[in-house]
Amino acid sequence: MGSHPKDVVITDEHPKTLLYQKHADYIVGYSKKKDDYEFTMTEHFRMSGMYWGITALDLLNQLDRMDSTEILDFICKCQDKGSGGFSPSIGHDAHLLYTLSAVQILVILEALDKVDVEAIVKYVAGLQNEDGSFSGDQWGEVDTRFSFCAVNTLALLKRLDAINTEKAVEFVMRCQNVDGGFGTRPGSESHAGQIYCCVGLLSITGQLHRVNGDLLGWWLCERQLPSGGLNGRPEKLPDVCYSWWVLASLTMLGRLHWINADKMRVFILATQDAETGGFTDRPGDMVDLYHTLFGLAGLSLLGESSLKPINPVFCMPQYVLDRISVTVQIMST
């Protein structure tokens, strides 16, 4: 494979092994820098940031380094008394994205009893529209991400009965394109992040047979560039977060072996910061919690033995799903 105008170059100076302890120290350190500029500027998605950090630490077998009392106190204060949903931070509006993050954390920490679960179920169900789609919040924006968040949240709570799953599936299928991929809404272009959300929803609802695994698997494999990294759609730069969106989708489709795993691993490891710990979107950029989780999650899917196995649908350690007996559908090739 020759050079590619939308790619990066991996050199001998980039890390070649997993900097396991540095990543754990980076995550724990991040949570303690409450006056730091970066911490202050991420308030509008704090709940998801906590989920990324907690899940990453759990994959690294160091979850016990987090202050669970402080975490649970924050989550409880973010549950909106009126709607039942969760906000990204105290004093903000509730949204499906942060409601899912809150539930994921509560399930990992075995602390669902600390919140009003029935209110969560009512909140999620109330956001389903007549056509089966979901709004993200009371303001009404529709996106297949929100469909996935809703179904994911209710599956973790064992309350999928609260929504019309048949209509939810029908809406997602209307978002499928001729290339096999899925977009945000009917007619929107295919994007790897949306594909993960739609395939995940079909996996949870047992409807994966409605996807052409070969066609979609081919589109996803085409995202791999000469560097080994993956992009989210054609003509874009690789980004380590797609190590999750694409690899998880291929895993659900039973076609993870279709990509070059060795080159993929080299790219992910090259996005580590050898000094601070943490992962970046691509080699040489600034680290953050988001890319740190998805870098580790991608390596877990590729079989990295020092990390706990991860579930490809819920992006949570597999033992957590085993503990609450939640199963997903995986396609066979």
Side-chain angles (χ1 to χ4, degrees):
M1 298 168 85
S3 62
H4 191 283
K6 297 282 188 181
D7 202 3
V8 297
V9 177
I10 310 291
T11 69
D12 290 339
E13 295 176 5
H14 292 118
K16 301 284 189 291
T17 57
L18 180 60
L19 308 174
Y20 185 92
Q21 198 54 47
K22 276 188 177 290
H23 299 316
D25 293 343
Y26 161 70
I27 297 163
V28 173
Y30 183 95
S31 68
K32 291 177 178 172
K33 294 179 186 171
K34 303 251 185 325
D35 299 322
D36 187 278
Y37 173 78
E38 186 186 358
F39 190 89
T40 306
M41 294 304 290
T42 56
E43 181 183 355
H44 61 290
F45 56 81
R46 177 74 32 81
M47 186 70 75
S48 291
M50 290 178 71
Y51 153 71
W52 300 329
I54 287 166
T55 304
L57 265 188
D58 201 358
L59 292 175
L60 290 162
N61 284 288
Q62 298 194 36
L63 186 58
D64 58 350
R65 294 180 64 185
M66 291 300 260
D67 183 343
S68 59
T69 304
E70 184 183 359
I71 291 165
L72 294 173
D73 180 58
F74 172 82
I75 292 175
C76 290
K77 287 176 179 172
C78 288
Q79 185 169 26
D80 183 66
K81 295 291 185 286
S83 69
F86 289 86
S87 60
S89 201
I90 298 162
H92 290 245
D93 291 337
H95 195 286
L96 262 180
L97 289 171
Y98 310 110
T99 300
L100 171 58
S101 293
V103 169
Q104 287 173 306
I105 296 168
L106 291 165
V107 170
I108 288 172
L109 298 179
E110 299 185 84
L112 277 174
D113 59 325
K114 305 285 186 196
V115 296
D116 186 343
V117 171
E118 206 48 51
I120 303 172
V121 174
K122 189 177 176 186
Y123 172 73
V124 175
L127 289 169
Q128 187 170 28
N129 301 308
E130 188 57 39
D131 65 354
S133 67
F134 281 83
S135 301
D137 58 19
Q138 61 178 321
W139 311 113
E141 182 191 2
V142 169
D143 188 313
T144 46
R145 284 184 306 154
F146 309 149
S147 294
F148 175 66
C149 288
V151 168
N152 191 328
T153 300
L154 294 178
L156 290 172
L157 297 176
K158 308 285 189 71
R159 288 300 309 276
L160 278 171
D161 61 292
I163 57 166
N164 188 325
T165 53
E166 198 173 315
K167 275 192 169 185
V169 168
E170 291 305 330
F171 174 76
V172 161
M173 293 310 299
R174 286 201 298 278
C175 298
Q176 188 172 32
N177 296 315
V178 292
D179 57 15
F182 294 83
T184 55
R185 290 179 292 278
S188 299
E189 72 169 317
S190 297
H191 185 284
Q194 307 298 145
I195 288 170
Y196 164 78
C197 291
C198 294
V199 173
L201 182 146
L202 296 173
S203 172
I204 292 170
T205 55
Q207 297 293 311
L208 264 186
H209 60 274
R210 302 184 64 160
V211 172
N212 181 330
D214 285 344
L215 180 63
L216 181 50
W218 176 254
W219 191 94
L220 291 165
C221 291
E222 286 286 292
R223 306 280 58 78
Q224 190 164 34
L225 296 163
S227 65
L230 298 159
N231 60 21
R233 51 202 166 106
E235 300 304 313
K236 296 294 182 180
L237 282 165
D239 184 324
V240 85
C241 70
Y242 294 112
S243 306
W244 174 255
W245 312 121
V246 174
L247 295 187
S249 299
L250 284 170
T251 301
M252 288 184 259
L253 296 172
R255 287 159 174 82
L256 182 60
H257 58 288
W258 281 17
I259 60 125
N260 187 322
D262 292 336
K263 293 193 83 167
M264 180 80 255
R265 191 175 281 108
V266 167
F267 175 83
I268 297 175
L269 293 173
T271 65
Q272 300 174 102
D273 190 311
E275 291 181 25
T276 64
F279 289 74
T280 66
D281 56 352
R282 58 191 68 92
D285 288 351
M286 292 288 289
V287 300
D288 58 58
L289 283 178
Y290 174 83
H291 290 96
T292 298
L293 169 60
F294 294 125
L296 291 169
L299 289 171
S300 177
L301 282 178
L302 292 173
E304 173 62 49
S305 59
S306 62
L307 299 172
K308 288 180 181 175
I310 194 163
N311 183 279
V313 179
F314 292 92
C315 197
M316 295 163 70
Q318 182 59 48
Y319 83 90
V320 176
L321 284 308
D322 292 340
R323 185 176 67 204
I324 63 172
S325 302
V326 169
T327 57
V328 296
Q329 182 184 20
I330 302 293
M331 195 179 279
S332 57
T333 44

